[in-house]
Amino acid sequence: MTADPYARIAEWYDLLLNPVLDGVRRAVAEVCRAEGLLRVLDACCGTGRQCAVLRGAG
């Protein structure tokens, strides 16, 4: 057994949660764009997919 509990689910994390979270991620990017935010901090928030969505949104 691994000492890192996340390591046990990492393989399945995106597969299971992306369908649920991708809409939320797009909404966050839209709010950031609407508010004119140029910088955001995504610290320890999963696999970094939110950063990719934000980067893609400009």
Side-chain angles (χ1 to χ4, degrees):
M1 182 187 298
T2 180
D4 178 5
Y6 179 74
R8 294 188 350 228
I9 65 163
E11 180 180 349
W12 303 101
Y13 186 91
D14 280 338
L15 181 67
L16 295 172
L17 293 179
N18 284 349
V20 176
L21 294 177
D22 279 349
V24 174
R25 291 174 175 133
R26 287 189 298 273
V28 167
E30 182 55 38
V31 168
C32 290
R33 184 182 310 115
E35 293 295 323
L37 300 178
L38 301 176
R39 295 181 183 172
V40 296
L41 174 64
D42 179 6
C44 302
C45 299
T47 61
R49 192 169 174 100
Q50 181 69 66
C51 284
V53 172
L54 291 168
R55 184 175 51 246

